[in-house]
Amino acid sequence: MLPLQLDGVSIAFPNPPGPPRIILRATDLVLPAGAMVGLEGPSGAGKTSLLHALAGLEPVAAGSIRWGGENIAELDGAARAHWRRRHTGLVFQDFHLIEGLSVLDNVLLPVWFDMFRTPRALRDRAKALLVGMGLPMPLPPLAVLSRGERQRVALARAVLRQPPLLLADEPTASLDAEAAGRIGSLLVDMAANSGATLIVASHDPHLLARLPIRLRIAETRLERLA
Amino acid sequence: MNPFPLALAGLRHRRGTALALALLVALGVALGVGVGALERSLRQGAARAADAFPLIVGAPGSPTQLVLTAVYLQPDTVTLVPGGVLTRLAADAQAAWVSPIGFGDRWRDKPVVGVAPEFVTLGGRRALAEGRVFAAENEAVIGTAVPLAMGDQLIPAHGLAHAGADEDDADTHHHGDSPYTVVGRLPPSGTPWDHAILVPIERVWEIHGLGNGHAEGAERIGPPWEAAQGIPAVVVQPRDFPGAYALRARYRDAQSNAVFPAEVLVSLFRLMGDVQAVLSAMAMASAVLVLAAVFLAFSGLVAARSRDFAVLRALGAPWRFVLAAVWLELALVLLGGVAVGLGFGWLGGWMAADALGRHARVAVTVAPGWDEVLLALAVLVAGMLGALLPALVVWRRPPGEALKR
Amino acid sequence: MAARRHTTTRRPVLAAAAAFLLPPNPVAAAERLAFDDLYSGWSVMGASFSPRLLALVGQEAALRGYMAPPLKAEADFFVLAREPMALCPFCSSDADWPVDIVVVYLRRQAQPTDPGTRIEVVGRVETGSWTDPDSGFVSQIRLRDARFRPL
């Protein structure tokens, strides 16, 4: 639901003792709201760094990143955290679930950033999401879930509050083919249903094939594939 | 915001480590609390036992020995104070009442002590639990721990050497033929006197062939004693404050020595306090070491979970949430440890005090005191402030790095 | 005169903790009193309190003297005397123990100081014959809610 506009964005990170390592050089890009984007490129080319910059996890060296008019490149850390909380859902290659929390509580985790009590509606929605994604009921302990099931929990956490922006970093890379296919479908369907802008960094050709817009990052340049 | 589930999840996930850390804190706190509670309760128990003895007059010699034998009934041989001193004291205008303390005889393991009726009632300030004060030479008032009933009779055995000796032991020298009859019982005092059997001093003198302390033919109980004999000690209740000091000064001469038991106790306590100060310092040091160890262990724990915290920040958690979650986790460990340590400490102090008190026949009760609560609070506050450090370290680290592994 | 706090020589750490957690004693605007000020005259009927002492009844006053040997261990009171009780075995000055003593009831129990240490006590003045229910002793002049410090 948010359009993206990059103006002269450079991304670099310090690489002592050498000069800073340039990931991306003076790049412009415009994506419409609700776009579904696949980001590809060789390993180490900076897919994750670009994704982190787009999510406001890391500052950029230069340029502006506008999501629907708001330039997140000029926000400070606390403001970026607040912006992320409101606008993004993140999915990682290694799920990054919190051990020790139950499956349901992992989905509800972002709710506690703002609220002491979890509203009934959100709790019901979390359960419905898990059921809809085919997790067994009653929910088993987190420790016994398969990798595919864990990624589905992580996906439920990302979409719980219907963010306008879904960012996924290699969401299928650590899954077997069947689980990868399932996660890919869920991710695309979720974004399509909610109208969220979806950006997926991936190597997975099956997943990339389902995304209409394709970007490739290589040698500090971002190019749009036909 | 609600960081509790996350903090609890952290503790649950590493419950072994969390439990070990809490136990470490508990032991550190328990040591300090136990030492403090034990020392305080021993002091209070010992001081309470001396309440019935404002001023003790004995033969010249060690005040400590005088107090130990007269107040705490610790068996020892003492030099007698001449009867003339008792006669003078009984007539002294500055004394509200006086009573001889004539110990030496025993019934089983209970000391039989010759006293004046005034001592039984502490000059009217102590009511009997049962019965009445002795009114004749062959009557006795017993302490609450003496296994006899009203109307029972007893024959004391003589001599400290035979303390605890069997009654029909051939060596045991039985006094006289006529027994004492129990006519009254003292209320419990939590002092060695709970085990004592109080009899008229006149009878004690008579049994030892010294007459009854009164003029020829007089059969009274209590002062004045015109023909008082030597006695191990005299307890004196002064009429007022100046009187107390005047009596103490007046009866310090070649014949007698007068001391406030409190003087002896305070110097003993001061000694005990010095020992306790050393123990306290050691306990404090151990608490500090324990806290340091807990912080080290916890810093490791936080480092091991840095990915979790990076995830929280990636998901948009505000800094106060991450801070609160990390801090809360350590704070809960500290709180649990301090609470358990406070309990452990009091329990340990109580058990040690009980064992020591039982040995000295002094009731020692360990009541929870503010000193220990303050100590525990100090550890808790220091710990909770310290817990902010690992929490701040977490915030300093950029979240992207940890996510990229 | 800084805030007069209890001299608790032991457990300095706890005292520090207590000072941290408890509100500080208000600095008392106490009037300095001397032993010579206590009585105005002596007669066969006994001593009569001085007008200056009577004027201070119910108010805070400061008095300097020596702690007499303790009558009770673990007690919240002690006796304040004009002169230290002689510890010298050759002196018999104890025999003429002066009657102008003041009984000090402490706000909080404290360890007695050495008999040779001069102290200053601040407390609320109370006069008249009164029997302590715990010890059975009678006193004429008392300082209540008192605290002391060594000089």
Side-chain angles (χ1 to χ4, degrees):
Chain A
M1 275 183 289
L2 283 178
L4 170 68
Q5 185 181 348
L6 303 189
D7 286 306
V9 169
S10 293
I11 301 174
F13 52 81
N15 188 26
R21 187 166 154 237
I22 313 283
I23 299 292
L24 195 67
R25 211 183 288 274
T27 301
D28 300 338
L29 177 73
V30 176
L31 291 174
M36 293 200 183
V37 182
L39 176 62
E40 53 185 280
S43 292
K47 297 192 293 294
T48 296
S49 291
L50 176 57
L51 213 59
H52 282 180
L54 294 179
L57 271 174
E58 274 170 33
V60 295
S64 63
I65 299 176
R66 285 175 203 284
W67 285 105
E70 190 167 14
N71 181 5
I72 63 167
E74 53 180 37
L75 300 178
D76 64 13
R80 284 209 306 271
H82 186 253
W83 177 85
R84 278 200 299 282
R85 191 152 80 243
R86 290 296 150 91
H87 297 97
T88 67
L90 294 176
V91 180
F92 309 95
Q93 177 177 342
D94 292 320
F95 334 129
H96 290 337
L97 299 178
I98 307 283
E99 304 292 338
L101 279 181
S102 72
V103 169
L104 186 64
D105 282 348
N106 258 289
V107 178
L108 291 170
L109 173 64
V111 176
W112 301 328
F113 297 166
D114 298 310
M115 287 178 261
F116 188 83
R117 286 173 156 278
T118 309
R120 182 94 233 155
L122 278 174
R123 183 173 289 273
D124 289 346
R125 175 170 157 78
K127 277 189 195 145
L129 280 169
L130 291 169
V131 171
M133 291 182 186
L135 275 133
M137 289 287 159
L139 289 165
L142 183 61
V144 306
L145 292 192
S146 70
R147 298 183 70 78
E149 286 168 327
R150 283 173 173 248
Q151 191 60 303
R152 278 180 265 161
V153 175
L155 186 54
R157 176 177 69 188
V159 301
L160 177 70
R161 294 202 285 186
Q162 294 170 288
L165 192 53
L166 260 180
L167 300 167
D169 187 8
E170 300 280 12
T172 59
S174 62
L175 304 178
D176 59 45
E178 192 198 337
R182 191 161 186 183
I183 287 295
S185 307
L186 282 170
L187 195 54
V188 173
D189 291 350
M190 290 280 171
N193 289 343
S194 67
T197 306
L198 173 68
I199 301 180
V200 184
S202 182
H203 277 112
D204 180 353
H206 299 288
L207 178 52
L208 289 170
R210 313 173 75 139
L211 301 164
I213 301 175
R214 302 277 285 278
L215 298 174
R216 182 181 164 79
I217 181 169
E219 319 250 308
T220 74
R221 299 159 79 91
L222 186 66
E223 54 191 56
R224 206 165 183 145
L225 302 181
Chain B
M1 78 176 178
N2 182 7
F4 283 92
L6 202 70
L8 292 174
L11 294 177
R12 207 179 304 130
H13 189 51
R14 289 166 204 271
R15 59 176 83 79
T17 314
L19 221 60
L21 289 181
L23 214 61
L24 202 61
V25 174
L27 288 178
V29 170
L31 200 62
V33 166
V35 166
L38 174 62
E39 191 253 1
R40 183 165 40 85
S41 60
L42 286 179
R43 265 192 293 132
Q44 286 171 349
R48 190 157 22 78
D51 272 353
F53 304 86
L55 182 68
I56 300 272
V57 179
S62 154
T64 309
Q65 194 201 18
L66 182 61
V67 170
L68 281 178
T69 49
V71 175
Y72 299 101
L73 293 176
Q74 295 293 316
D76 203 345
T77 44
V78 295
T79 319
L80 297 184
V81 59
V85 173
L86 176 62
T87 309
R88 266 167 64 212
L89 271 167
D92 200 306
Q94 280 179 298
W97 55 264
V98 303
S99 168
I101 307 274
F103 46 80
D105 289 350
R106 301 206 153 238
W107 175 78
R108 297 188 186 168
D109 65 336
K110 311 296 183 197
V112 173
V113 187
V115 296
E118 285 78 3
F119 178 77
V120 179
T121 60
L122 297 182
R125 285 197 294 133
R126 172 159 69 185
L128 292 194
E130 216 181 328
R132 57 171 173 82
V133 181
F134 49 71
E137 282 190 9
N138 60 352
E139 290 180 343
V141 174
I142 56 174
T144 187
V146 176
L148 287 171
M150 296 299 102
D152 281 359
Q153 302 205 318
L154 64 115
I155 301 175
H158 181 58
L160 300 166
H162 300 276
D166 212 84
E167 268 182 66
D168 23 54
D169 193 317
D171 286 345
T172 310
H173 158 199
H174 283 285
H175 271 312
D177 299 308
S178 53
Y180 291 102
T181 304
V182 176
V183 297
R185 186 190 293 275
L186 292 172
S189 64
T191 74
W193 288 82
D194 283 348
H195 294 264
I197 297 163
L198 308 187
V199 299
I201 186 67
E202 286 83 357
R203 180 72 188 283
V204 174
W205 280 324
E206 258 180 0
I207 282 173
H208 292 88
L210 301 168
N212 69 358
H214 296 294
E216 201 74 38
E219 288 294 325
R220 277 183 301 108
I221 299 286
W225 298 278
E226 304 81 5
Q229 302 298 317
I231 28 155
V234 184
V235 54
V236 183
Q237 168 71 56
R239 230 172 255 292
D240 52 17
F241 285 100
Y245 292 97
L247 285 166
R248 175 180 175 277
R250 198 173 302 141
Y251 290 88
R252 294 194 145 190
D253 53 26
Q255 283 192 309
S256 60
N257 187 19
V259 292
F260 301 132
E263 290 177 79
V264 173
L265 287 179
V266 163
S267 57
L268 282 179
F269 291 170
R270 195 166 284 156
L271 199 68
M272 208 155 104
D274 291 345
V275 174
Q276 198 263 358
V278 172
L279 287 176
S280 268
M282 279 163 60
M284 221 42 187
S286 85
V288 169
L289 284 179
V290 159
L291 277 183
V294 167
F295 282 132
L296 270 180
F298 197 76
S299 301
L301 215 64
V302 165
R305 295 183 56 206
S306 62
R307 215 198 52 187
D308 276 358
F309 299 124
V311 170
L312 290 180
R313 296 180 58 196
L315 296 179
W319 71 271
R320 53 178 190 280
F321 180 87
V322 181
L323 194 78
V326 179
W327 181 81
L328 202 59
E329 200 174 319
L330 184 48
L332 286 173
V333 167
L334 285 169
L335 192 67
V338 166
V340 171
L342 206 56
F344 272 11
W346 275 326
L347 192 71
W350 178 76
M351 291 196 314
D354 194 56
L356 286 172
R358 204 181 294 277
H359 184 70
R361 288 180 169 176
V362 175
V364 183
T365 48
V366 174
W370 284 111
D371 279 358
E372 291 95 64
V373 175
L374 280 179
L375 172 78
L377 275 180
V379 170
L380 193 64
V381 167
M384 286 188 164
L385 287 177
L388 287 172
L389 286 176
L392 287 171
V393 166
V394 164
W395 185 250
R396 285 259 148 242
R397 206 168 293 153
E401 275 173 40
L403 288 177
K404 287 187 207 158
R405 283 164 296 164
Chain C
M1 274 180 238
R4 292 183 199 92
R5 210 164 275 138
H6 239 60
T7 40
T8 308
T9 47
R10 305 162 58 241
R11 302 200 188 98
V13 182
L14 288 181
F20 176 70
L21 292 169
L22 301 171
N25 285 330
V27 179
E31 188 158 345
R32 177 84 77 79
L33 206 57
F35 270 94
D36 287 333
D37 298 335
L38 299 181
Y39 295 95
S40 58
W42 305 87
S43 68
V44 282
M45 298 299 290
S48 52
F49 301 129
S50 72
R52 177 158 152 73
L53 178 72
L54 289 172
L56 279 171
V57 167
Q59 293 174 39
E60 294 258 287
L63 191 59
R64 293 178 174 197
Y66 297 85
M67 207 183 272
L71 285 159
K72 295 254 171 207
E74 298 294 287
D76 59 352
F77 71 86
F78 65 86
V79 169
L80 189 71
R82 182 200 295 259
E83 299 293 336
M85 250 183 123
L87 295 169
C88 166
F90 300 105
C91 308
S92 60
S93 65
D94 289 2
D96 7 278
W97 179 258
V99 282
D100 58 344
I101 55 152
V102 172
V103 183
V104 177
Y105 287 88
L106 291 169
R107 184 180 287 175
R108 263 176 288 146
Q109 190 186 315
Q111 289 297 112
T113 59
D114 192 77
T117 309
R118 191 163 156 81
I119 59 169
E120 181 175 75
V121 185
V122 177
R124 186 164 41 78
V125 177
E126 199 179 271
T127 55
S129 186
W130 184 75
T131 311
D132 186 302
D134 292 328
S135 67
F137 286 120
V138 180
S139 57
Q140 298 297 327
I141 305 177
R142 291 164 296 281
L143 289 176
R144 294 276 183 186
D145 290 332
R147 53 273 180 209
F148 66 89
R149 64 180 177 101
L151 288 173

